[in-house]
Amino acid sequence: MSDAIVESAAATAGDKETGASRFVRACLRRPVDRTPVWFLRQAGRYMPEYMAVRKHHSLLEICRTPEIAAEVTITAAERLDVDAAIIFADLLLPFTPMGLDFEFVAGEGPVVHTPVRTLEHVKALRTDRVEELQYVARAIEKVATHFSAPRADGDTLGIIGFCGAPWTLAGYMIEGGKQGGGDRNYIETKKMMYSYGPAWSLLMEKIVTVLVAYVQQQIEAGADVIQVFDSWVGKLSVRDYRQYCLGWTTELVQRIKALGVPVIYFGVETASLLPAMSETGADVIGLDWRTPLEEGWKAVGAGCAVQGNLDPIALFAQEDVLKEQVREILNGAAGRPGHIFNLGHGIVPGTPVENVIRVVELVRELSAR
Ligand code: CP3
């Protein structure tokens, strides 16, 4: 018997006692009966049920009304029959109690009205009103109650809370305007960062303080795992990430882990950044779709679990291509404990729901041990 199998058998016996879900076990690199699967942005605009709710409520209304946020979260997880539900919220919600006004402008994404550009602006940011974000925790409680009973296969659904990473949130705060386009150079953000003066360090410190308190509310409400989104970390060189961001991100990850839950750390265009990202000590690294899974796993090291990483646009492909790509990702993981199947970035509007459901079926079929 190989060492891996001996280790598997021992860990499985322990897990039966802890009763952790398949998803949480995979985050901790424990053996599972099959690869757990969920999707980034699984409750988004591609889904008719979400659009029906969206007709009557703005994005922020949905986020700030626990009944509606819980309903949207539950509907998506049940329709897709995935192994984890990510709470419906947005990265930018903590801006409001920090004193930064923003809105979602149709076709433009988030806009911060008075961007943070000076030390005085940073000093004015509040860190003492995180209680105002309790609506997210109330929504998590509702989702956790709904999914408290095991499903037909005996497994309990994992519940994911989330927050942004310091770099990605600072980018929205400092740039202020249209975000998410590949054309953005992050000039203002990098100017503040390169000065590495009191403005950058105070901003990073305030963001971490707010996020730890916010995430603690989510965990107390029932989040099993926290995902940290560093969506725009790929805009940084490895040297700049190491010099200006890694320390703060590590502090955030370590303080969340100290609250007793596994952390998934996800970024986009991270091929060169993966070894540094794994130094945060995150339990799981989310791989973007550009890196072959096996290569990505090598880059983060065997001490980390990995999540990913189908190209979200492959969901527009026909059955044989979809099956081939799902199979390749599962082959890349080779049944080693510690793989969570996901996309390598969020589902985009227009994605056929039936193809998303088909991927869940394929993962089940092809990964059963
Ligand atoms: O997975 C889910 O169930 C959705 C929950 C969710 C939302 N935002 C709701 C949302 C999550 C996990 C997020 C995180 C988030 N928010 C990220 C990181 C995720 C990633 O893809 O990297 C980022 C970068 C943001 C900031 C943000 N929010 C942007 C850039 C936009 C505009 C995007 C667009 O296409 O317009 C949003 C809006 C937003 N947040 C939408 C949803 C479902 C779509 C807009 C809507 O419904 O009106």
Side-chain angles (χ1 to χ4, degrees):
M1 220 183 327
S2 76
D3 287 354
I5 294 171
V6 173
E7 203 180 295
S8 297
T12 308
D15 291 331
K16 288 214 174 100
E17 282 152 37
T18 64
S21 68
R22 177 186 292 130
F23 166 68
V24 173
R25 289 200 305 272
C27 290
L28 298 170
R29 288 183 294 121
R30 295 187 186 154
V32 285
D33 55 347
R34 64 167 175 79
T35 304
V37 52
W38 69 280
F39 299 92
L40 296 170
R41 296 270 176 124
Q42 66 191 22
R45 279 175 299 188
Y46 77 102
M47 192 172 265
E49 289 87 342
Y50 173 74
M51 289 316 287
V53 175
R54 205 44 193 87
K55 235 193 224 163
H56 305 286
H57 304 279
S58 71
L59 175 61
L60 287 175
E61 260 166 37
I62 300 174
C63 293
R64 290 174 179 156
T65 314
E67 293 71 24
I68 308 179
E71 180 202 316
V72 165
T73 304
I74 292 165
T75 304
E78 289 186 339
R79 171 97 196 258
L80 303 176
D81 199 15
V82 282
D83 297 304
I86 184 162
I87 190 61
F88 193 89
D90 196 83
L91 288 198
L92 274 58
L93 298 176
F95 286 12
T96 309
M98 292 182 83
L100 272 183
D101 279 337
F102 71 95
E103 63 180 316
F104 289 101
V105 178
E108 275 201 38
V111 174
V112 174
H113 296 300
T114 313
V116 175
R117 297 282 167 88
T118 66
L119 178 58
E120 292 316 304
H121 290 156
V122 176
K123 281 185 176 161
L125 293 173
R126 307 265 309 246
T127 57
D128 58 344
R129 297 197 305 209
V130 186
E131 277 305 299
E132 291 173 19
L133 294 171
Q134 282 283 2
Y135 55 83
V136 175
R138 299 289 80 77
I140 290 178
E141 265 166 20
K142 289 180 190 300
V143 174
T145 304
H146 182 89
F147 288 122
S148 57
R151 296 175 290 163
D153 68 354
D155 191 65
T156 315
L157 214 84
I159 301 190
I160 307 170
F162 73 88
C163 66
W167 158 259
T168 289
L169 289 186
Y172 282 107
M173 287 180 172
I174 298 169
E175 300 300 321
K178 195 155 81 161
Q179 289 286 338
D183 54 336
R184 196 153 267 287
N185 289 320
Y186 287 83
I187 294 169
E188 295 302 325
T189 314
K190 289 189 179 181
K191 269 163 64 182
M192 191 188 286
M193 182 181 89
Y194 289 136
S195 75
Y196 210 62
W200 182 254
S201 44
L202 185 61
L203 179 61
M204 292 288 105
E205 190 187 316
K206 284 189 165 186
I207 291 175
V208 171
T209 301
V210 166
L211 294 179
V212 171
Y214 174 43
V215 158
Q216 182 165 5
Q217 294 167 2
Q218 298 185 39
I219 295 166
E220 284 167 2
D224 300 309
V225 171
I226 296 293
Q227 173 149 331
V228 176
F229 284 92
D230 212 350
S231 305
W232 313 129
V233 71
K235 295 290 178 182
L236 287 165
S237 65
V238 175
R239 73 158 315 285
D240 283 356
Y241 176 70
R242 285 188 175 280
Q243 184 167 351
Y244 304 106
C245 300
L246 176 58
W248 301 103
T249 312
T250 302
E251 184 179 334
L252 175 66
V253 168
Q254 292 301 327
R255 286 173 67 184
I256 300 172
K257 284 179 70 166
L259 297 170
V261 297
V263 175
I264 305 171
Y265 179 36
F266 168 77
V268 181
E269 296 192 63
T270 55
S272 58
L273 291 162
L274 289 172
M277 288 173 71
S278 72
E279 289 173 28
T280 57
D283 300 274
V284 186
I285 297 291
L287 302 173
D288 78 61
W289 50 270
R290 292 166 182 85
T291 310
L293 187 119
E294 207 175 348
E295 246 175 62
W297 208 341
K298 263 193 202 127
V300 300
C304 262
V306 292
Q307 177 173 278
N309 69 341
L310 183 69
D311 181 349
I313 310 307
L315 291 167
F316 290 83
Q318 67 275 24
E319 164 81 14
D320 56 332
V321 174
L322 204 52
K323 188 166 184 174
E324 181 61 24
Q325 297 216 8
V326 169
R327 195 196 297 277
E328 275 175 24
I329 289 168
L330 291 170
N331 286 347
R336 282 190 297 267
H339 176 223
I340 299 139
F341 196 98
N342 205 311
L343 304 176
H345 202 179
I347 303 181
V348 304
T351 300
V353 180
E354 60 277 12
N355 283 3
V356 184
I357 293 171
R358 185 67 191 128
V359 169
V360 176
E361 291 166 358
L362 285 168
V363 172
R364 266 198 198 139
E365 208 177 292
L366 300 173
S367 75
R369 318 266 195 265

